[in-house]
Amino acid sequence: MGDRETRCNAGGQFMDRGRMNQNGVVQPLLTDLYQITMAYAYWKSGKTDDHSVFDLFFRSNPFHGEFTIFAGLDECLRFLESFHYSESDIEYLRRTLPEGTENEFFDYLGDLTAKDVTLHAIDEGTVAFPRVPIIKVEGPLIIAQLLETTLLTLVNYASLMATNAARYRMVAGKHVNLLEFGLRRAQGPDGGLSASKYSYTGGFDGTSNVLAGKLFNIPVKGTHAHAYITSFSGIEELKARLLKHKLTAGVTGDLLELAIKYRQKLSTVLNVSMEESSEGELAAMVSYAIAFPDGFMALVDTYDVKRSGLLNFCAVALALNDLGYQAVGIRIDSGDLAYLSCLARETFERVAERFKVQWFNKLTIVASNDINEETILSLNEQGHKIDCFGIGTHLVTCQRQPALGCVYKLVEINGQPRIKLSQDVEKVTMPGHKNAYRLYSSDGHALIDLLQKVSETPPEVGQKVLCRHPFQESKRAYVIPSRVEPLYKIYWQNGKITQKLPTLELVREKVQKSLKTLRNDHKRTLNPTPYKVSVSDNLYNFIHDLWLQNAPIGELS
């Protein structure tokens, strides 16, 4: 049994690798078959020593926006660390590849690692833009080719998810909490875990996903479902009614009795009839409050928010207050969220004033119910009083755009540039080994990204640089940068990680810092201004000369 099989136990897919838990599904066989058939053909052709450069990039930003958050680098590096075909992998490939595949090829795969690969990347959590490679892989052709599919699957969803979360954070504002509630709607367990991890990276404050909390140290939040409320039909079902006073030793109160007393008073204060409210709901809330007196957060829309939910919640919260506890707040999962949140806040303010409990003004109002970006923007226009959004389906499935579309293209082989041509100009690749720089204006905002050949001198602060559109001759401009940021660092070389990797918390902070470098018009939801990506004059001429050399010449007859 190989090393990987030893570490992957039946209890779960994740393995402790010292830095963060690694998903055991991420292994060399998590790839497309054509990568392995190409590897055999390369090997058969004697190309094992060919030196290649591949660019991993995307062609357009998601969600009709003008920025993308790069995520997934940590997973890519841990994949390189553990890259090795186990004995069982080799045996499976022997059975799977066509008959006649030479045994020596399987011996070659058995010895293959990523030690000869060099990986350049931008920092995880950085804002990225179309056509600028976010990862560059340099090394022997066969191993670089075999990495393609796995690196793409690790980066594509992670970056899409982090970008989606960052957009939610921007429309919600920095003073509203965001919780990811999407596990049950996610694309399988791996999709659910990745969604929790990268929504936190993008700016969410917590998740309902308990395993993600354990694996990635993400704050875990949750209350109860409607099922808990409907499981009670009346107060006679309460098995426990007594609760010890939080501060006064030896004092115990009957929480139900106190709640009924307050419900009678509140009925007059809130102008709500007690006959319309649900006793089963009251019993459920009393029961839940006894279980979690310091964390009492109740779902109030099981029956009717105005006539039942708020009345019962406030009664139980005031009863808890008599015993030294403070409730946390409510969750609304249906209905007119703007109206109901305003009603709830007005109710809390009236109770605070009538019963002299000022902390009631600060009770948290959480809203869920199939929320998306447009929902939040609409609620903002309506003047809602929501403190926290719980977002599931639209977040974790990225319903507005289900895939980012990163690609992995060969741009150099044995020092010779390679270009992929297409009648669709957007699909023409930019050949050669390149460096990328972000040029900043005097006000501190990112102005333009510049790609150059690695042999070119980097741009300098205060020096005029000619920046050209990669494919449109007339689009060009001189830029005098106030700051020049080289985008690439070597993250993997000689079989080991070469940079100190940030924690998930630091990557999360990096996202917000990077977004602050963009002008607001690049980040706005409606018709954002495109961010400019350019090439140097030297690279422009190089691309177009190579294009002419490789483009077939037509013949008219």
Side-chain angles (χ1 to χ4, degrees):
M1 183 177 287
D3 184 47
R4 185 172 66 250
E5 283 92 337
T6 304
R7 295 194 307 271
C8 276
N9 58 54
Q13 296 173 332
F14 284 76
M15 307 175 292
D16 190 345
R17 294 299 303 270
R19 190 169 61 252
M20 196 184 292
N21 294 290
Q22 180 180 4
N23 191 336
V25 170
V26 180
Q27 52 182 282
L29 289 192
L30 186 67
T31 190
D32 296 304
L33 179 61
Y34 81 170
Q35 307 291 5
I36 297 171
T37 56
M38 278 195 293
Y40 178 65
Y42 286 145
W43 179 85
K44 188 77 171 166
S45 302
K47 296 177 76 67
T48 56
D49 294 327
D50 284 14
H51 187 82
S52 63
V53 179
F54 285 84
D55 286 349
L56 192 157
F57 61 96
F58 55 93
R59 294 189 176 105
S60 60
N61 290 301
F63 312 120
H64 305 293
E66 288 298 336
F67 71 86
T68 300
I69 303 296
F70 170 47
L73 177 60
D74 184 271
E75 291 273 3
C76 292
L77 295 171
R78 286 185 280 119
F79 170 57
L80 294 182
E81 274 188 312
S82 62
F83 186 94
H84 173 67
Y85 291 98
S86 68
E87 292 178 11
S88 66
D89 292 342
I90 297 298
E91 287 306 309
Y92 174 76
L93 291 174
R94 285 182 192 275
R95 299 192 306 270
T96 303
L97 290 182
E99 187 176 348
T101 304
E102 296 180 33
N103 285 329
E104 289 81 359
F105 174 66
F106 298 110
D107 296 336
Y108 172 80
L109 287 184
D111 294 331
L112 198 59
T113 68
K115 64 180 177 60
D116 296 322
V117 168
T118 299
L119 185 143
H120 313 249
I122 67 175
D123 291 336
E124 187 163 8
T126 300
V127 173
F129 301 100
R131 293 194 168 276
V132 179
I134 46 183
I135 290 177
K136 300 188 299 176
V137 175
E138 184 182 359
L141 177 59
I142 293 180
I143 177 64
Q145 186 74 69
L146 287 168
L147 297 175
E148 175 181 0
T149 300
T150 317
L151 293 181
L152 285 171
T153 197
L154 291 174
V155 168
N156 259 312
Y157 182 67
S159 300
L160 186 73
M161 188 69 237
T163 306
N164 202 23
R167 291 175 61 88
Y168 276 97
R169 169 49 66 201
M170 288 193 304
V171 298
K174 59 185 177 181
H175 299 300
V176 174
N177 281 344
L178 294 174
L179 300 177
E180 177 267 312
F181 283 177
L183 178 59
R184 64 187 60 193
R185 305 286 171 79
Q187 267 67 343
D190 291 297
L193 284 167
S194 294
S196 299
K197 178 179 180 181
Y198 294 112
S199 64
Y200 188 66
T201 298
F204 272 57
D205 299 289
T207 178
S208 63
N209 186 339
V210 180
L211 182 57
K214 176 188 175 185
L215 293 175
F216 308 124
N217 198 31
I218 300 171
V220 181
K221 304 290 184 181
T223 54
H224 58 78
H226 292 107
Y228 192 83
I229 300 293
T230 58
S231 71
F232 289 81
S233 58
I235 57 177
E236 67 280 355
E237 295 179 24
L238 280 174
K239 301 291 193 298
R241 298 168 45 158
L242 302 180
L243 180 65
K244 291 181 179 179
H245 196 287
K246 182 175 182 178
L247 304 175
T248 307
V251 174
T252 299
D254 186 323
L255 193 65
L256 175 61
E257 184 180 295
L258 289 169
I260 290 174
K261 178 188 72 173
Y262 278 116
R263 190 166 69 148
Q264 291 172 336
K265 295 179 181 179
L266 285 164
S267 177
T268 302
V269 173
L270 303 180
N271 194 27
V272 177
S273 170
M274 281 178 37
E275 284 70 29
E276 294 184 79
S277 64
S278 167
E279 284 204 347
E281 182 180 58
L282 177 65
M285 289 186 182
V286 168
S287 170
Y288 202 75
I290 289 172
F292 301 102
D294 279 314
F296 179 52
M297 162 87 61
L299 194 58
V300 295
D301 69 314
T302 304
Y303 301 114
D304 187 289
V305 175
K306 182 176 182 179
R307 293 181 175 84
S308 183
L310 284 175
L311 176 66
N312 285 327
F313 168 80
C314 291
V316 176
L318 288 170
L320 281 173
N321 182 68
D322 282 0
L323 296 174
Y325 302 94
Q326 290 187 5
V328 175
I330 62 169
R331 179 162 73 94
I332 306 170
D333 191 48
S334 61
D336 185 335
L337 297 179
Y339 165 72
L340 292 174
S341 67
C342 291
L343 173 67
R345 182 60 67 205
E346 180 188 348
T347 299
F348 297 155
E349 289 170 351
R350 290 170 66 183
V351 172
E353 182 180 358
R354 170 63 177 79
F355 295 95
K356 309 304 179 187
V357 279
Q358 288 307 305
W359 59 265
F360 236 81
N361 286 319
K362 304 297 183 183
L363 283 168
T364 298
I365 300 172
V366 179
S368 44
N369 186 27
D370 215 24
I371 291 169
N372 57 28
E373 264 190 66
E374 287 73 22
T375 306
I376 297 175
L377 288 168
S378 176
L379 288 168
N380 289 344
E381 291 176 356
Q382 296 173 65
H384 69 83
K385 300 297 181 182
I386 297 164
D387 302 297
C388 176
F389 289 105
I391 304 174
T393 305
H394 290 275
L395 173 68
V396 304
T397 63
C398 298
Q399 284 193 348
R400 292 184 66 192
Q401 182 173 326
L404 176 56
C406 285
V407 293
Y408 186 87
K409 298 297 181 183
L410 178 69
V411 294
E412 187 175 284
I413 186 82
N414 295 327
Q416 299 300 310
R418 291 293 184 266
I419 187 170
K420 176 194 176 297
L421 299 182
S422 172
Q423 291 184 339
D424 182 356
V425 175
E426 288 297 310
K427 291 193 173 183
V428 174
T429 59
M430 287 193 277
H433 198 177
K434 300 171 287 294
N435 281 328
Y437 302 89
R438 187 156 293 167
L439 310 184
Y440 290 83
S441 61
S442 57
D443 64 5
H445 287 120
L447 192 61
I448 196 168
D449 278 14
L450 175 67
L451 287 164
Q452 295 186 166
K453 297 176 69 176
V454 291
S455 57
E456 293 185 68
T457 303
E460 296 181 12
V461 171
Q463 298 297 311
K464 186 184 293 185
V465 182
L466 178 59
C467 297
R468 305 195 64 171
H469 188 284
F471 303 112
Q472 297 184 30
E473 188 174 17
S474 63
K475 288 191 174 182
R476 53 189 179 169
Y478 284 110
V479 176
I480 302 176
S482 295
R483 180 161 77 91
V484 175
E485 178 187 9
L487 291 180
Y488 297 128
K489 295 176 184 173
I490 294 177
Y491 271 93
W492 174 268
Q493 194 172 41
N494 298 323
K496 61 183 179 182
I497 295 170
T498 56
Q499 304 283 341
K500 182 179 179 181
L501 296 183
T503 62
L504 194 61
E505 283 288 346
L506 289 176
V507 174
R508 187 169 181 265
E509 291 175 14
K510 175 73 173 181
V511 170
Q512 299 308 316
K513 288 178 182 177
S514 189
L515 282 169
K516 285 180 181 177
T517 67
L518 294 186
R519 297 197 315 260
N520 287 333
D521 59 306
H522 294 308
K523 296 182 286 187
R524 67 190 177 206
T525 303
L526 184 63
N527 297 323
T529 303
Y531 181 86
K532 292 180 175 61
V533 171
S534 66
V535 297
S536 66
D537 190 51
N538 193 344
L539 180 55
Y540 177 88
N541 292 321
F542 176 72
I543 292 169
H544 289 265
D545 287 346
L546 194 64
W547 193 338
L548 289 175
Q549 291 172 27
N550 285 271
I553 300 174
E555 182 176 326
L556 300 178
S557 59

